[in-house]
Amino acid sequence: MSQINEKTTHVSIIIPTYNESQNIISMLKSIAEHIPKKISTQTIIVDDNSPDGTGKIVEEYINNFKKIKNYTIDVIHRKTKSGLSSAIFNGIQKAKGETIIVMDADHSHPPQIIPKMIESLKKSHYDIVIASRYVKGGQIKDWTKSRKIISKIATKIAKLFLNIEQKDPMSGFFAFKKNILKNSKLDLIGYKILLEILVKTKDVKTLEIPYTFTDRKIGTSKLDRKIIFDYLKSVWKLYRYGKKVKTNDIQSTSFISKAARFYTVGATGLIVNLFTSFSLVSIFPDIWYMHANLTGILFSISSNFILNKFWTFEDKDFSKKKALSQFFKFSSFSTIGALIQLGLVFYLTDAQNMPYHISLILAVSVAAFGNFILNKKFTFNEKLMD
Ligand code: GDD
Ligand code: MN
């Protein structure tokens, strides 16, 4: 019976490969050397049917590999080159570890810092640990000037459009807790899976630790014009995603607060309405109660409109034309409400012999209900349920 020590950390290291036949074996050896023995590690190579035979080389290596305790290597063979982010994601799906590490096969990412990354996730309660070129102590070796500039611009774009706080959201070397992804749907366009994870996971704690990125000695980078284009495409998608999440938040809170405001205004209107209706009856004993109520209604419509426009719906359009047309709609809906109210008051008072006070309160309540819905939709042009 196998015993799993609760304290053992299970780590899955994902390495995407495309034409890395000259790098991958030395990379696997280097990783094995630097992983502490007490950590149980699964390394997953995700190969896209590399023409140089990377997948086959890994397969042979696994078959001849002497079993080391707590250390396994798996390979995923994909039929065609289908992008870095999706390769990494396929690896994540197959990962058994609760901790995931993503890194390149070309020795640009030093496995020496892996223990520190795991430690930070475990002990300090971070959810994502990014190996960063752009925090103090981090650097890039052997990159051309133009590649450095492209990287800087890409990072600036992410900061600007996606409100990213991290210094190196483009890093291809990072560790995270697998469960942070359970509620996110990723698009997996292009190269930048970390960026997408940072945008789409909420309330996660991230840490950046410095490292030195060294450009590959063997083989070539797969970054090309298409990948730069993909990058812009994914920033655009993530930007729209961010906007959608934000407006949903604003609208859902404001629906509640707008309804609350509308009914508060309604209550003040009710006071204006009742006060006017009662006052007129007591000041002018000869006035017909229906006239008194009609005046009360007109007064309350006006005060309600002003308060709802400026306060409830925060309508900052002060132009006369707009305000007048809104007032027209608002009064029309109020008139419909008022007609219902008058009809009800008349019916309840005269036909049902209810006391005027009671029938008035009942009628006002019924009319107020329809008003909120109609005005939200037609006067202030908002969606009903948002
Ligand atoms: N399976 C698979 N499919 N692997 C791929 C693909 C693909 O379509 N494209 C690239 N890879 C693998 C490479 O074989 C390598 O192991 C790793 O992904 C990174 O590819 P490179 O071509 O070496 O990328 P780079 O060095 O230009 O960029 C690296 O550094 C950037 C930092 O600016 C990557 O780590 C980027 O993710 C990172 O943003
Ligand atoms: Mn590289």
Side-chain angles (χ1 to χ4, degrees), residues 299-360:
F299 273 47
S300 63
I301 287 175
S302 307
S303 65
N304 279 2
F305 172 71
I306 292 166
L307 286 172
N308 277 323
K309 180 170 168 70
F310 297 138
W311 185 50
T312 309
F313 296 101
E314 292 168 336
D315 187 344
K316 301 264 160 29
D317 189 346
F318 298 105
S319 72
K320 239 191 223 157
K321 209 175 143 212
K322 175 101 183 274
L324 275 177
S325 107
Q326 283 180 324
F327 183 66
F328 177 75
K329 286 181 195 166
F330 189 85
S331 336
S332 305
F333 295 137
S334 302
T335 307
I336 297 170
L339 288 177
I340 295 170
Q341 191 183 323
L342 280 169
L344 261 179
V345 169
F346 181 70
Y347 172 74
L348 295 173
T349 311
D350 264 8
Q352 296 296 315
N353 280 328
M354 254 188 206
Y356 171 52
H357 306 73
I358 310 259
S359 60
L360 184 66

Side-chain angles (χ1 to χ4, degrees), residues 106-118:
D106 58 358
H107 294 279
S108 290
H109 300 149
Q112 283 85 336
I113 66 166
I114 290 178
K116 197 173 165 197
M117 294 167 89
I118 296 172

Side-chain angles (χ1 to χ4, degrees), residues 39-295:
I39 294 176
S40 134
T41 311
Q42 170 198 33
T43 300
I44 304 174
I45 314 297
V46 190
D47 185 67
D48 280 3
N49 201 7
S50 299
D52 75 349
T54 304
K56 227 170 148 192
I57 289 168
V58 173
E59 200 75 58
E60 277 163 21
Y61 181 73
I62 294 173
N63 291 337
N64 299 323
F65 182 69
K66 315 197 250 35
K67 286 262 171 303
I68 302 178
K69 195 167 162 261
N70 280 349
Y71 189 84
T72 60
I73 303 173
D74 291 310
V75 58
I76 299 174
H77 299 280
R78 306 203 305 172
K79 287 208 178 65
T80 52
K81 186 170 187 292
S82 335
L84 182 50
S85 292
S86 78
I88 291 168
F89 189 70
N90 284 165
I92 295 171
Q93 286 173 315
K94 225 199 154 183
K96 294 186 191 120
E98 76 270 20
T99 297
I100 308 283
I101 294 173
V102 176
M103 68 194 301
D104 294 348
D106 58 358
H107 294 279
S108 290
H109 300 149
Q112 283 85 336
I113 66 166
I114 290 178
K116 197 173 165 197
M117 294 167 89
I118 296 172
E119 205 60 17
S120 305
L121 282 181
K122 210 175 157 186
K123 290 249 168 76
S124 316
H125 308 292
Y126 287 102
D127 302 295
I128 304 177
V129 175
I130 303 168
S132 173
R133 299 161 292 171
Y134 299 133
V135 289
K136 197 167 170 278
Q139 55 173 318
I140 297 173
K141 265 198 198 152
D142 305 335
W143 256 9
T144 59
K145 207 160 185 110
S146 65
R147 180 73 207 252
K148 278 187 184 159
I149 292 171
I150 291 173
S151 173
K152 279 277 180 202
I153 293 175
T155 309
K156 275 266 168 348
I157 290 175
K159 273 211 165 66
L160 213 66
F161 287 92
L162 306 175
N163 270 326
I164 292 293
E165 296 158 13
Q166 290 78 13
K167 295 260 186 312
D168 196 357
M170 308 291 153
S171 178
F173 189 16
F174 56 97
F176 65 97
K177 290 172 185 156
K178 193 179 176 182
N179 65 12
I180 63 169
L181 288 185
K182 64 175 186 283
N183 295 320
S184 320
K185 196 180 165 299
L186 303 181
D187 294 320
L188 305 168
I189 300 169
Y191 251 43
K192 307 302 177 189
I193 191 168
L194 174 60
L195 183 64
E196 193 172 3
I197 292 174
L198 291 173
V199 172
K200 292 193 173 167
T201 52
K202 284 208 193 102
D203 306 323
V204 288
K205 268 179 70 185
T206 64
L207 172 74
E208 288 183 85
I209 59 178
Y211 83 105
T212 302
F213 179 101
T214 316
D215 197 17
R216 58 164 77 235
K217 302 276 180 300
I218 309 168
T220 49
S221 166
K222 282 86 201 169
L223 186 108
D224 55 16
R225 230 171 273 172
K226 182 180 177 298
I227 282 160
I228 294 178
F229 179 73
D230 278 348
Y231 174 64
L232 297 175
K233 202 162 98 186
S234 78
V235 169
W236 171 241
K237 272 201 110 164
L238 291 174
Y239 173 74
R240 290 207 339 222
Y241 169 87
K243 270 207 122 120
K244 214 170 91 198
V245 169
K246 235 194 193 148
T247 35
N248 279 347
D249 281 357
I250 287 169
Q251 287 186 344
S252 60
T253 46
S254 70
F255 175 76
I256 297 165
S257 67
K258 274 176 189 162
R261 285 177 187 184
F262 189 88
Y263 284 110
T264 307
V265 170
T268 67
L270 181 66
I271 292 166
V272 172
N273 192 343
L274 290 175
F275 181 76
T276 313
S277 305
F278 288 142
S279 304
L280 287 174
V281 171
S282 60
I283 295 171
F284 308 102
D286 291 331
I287 200 172
W288 185 33
Y289 68 86
M290 290 295 281
H291 279 159
N293 188 201
L294 188 67
T295 314

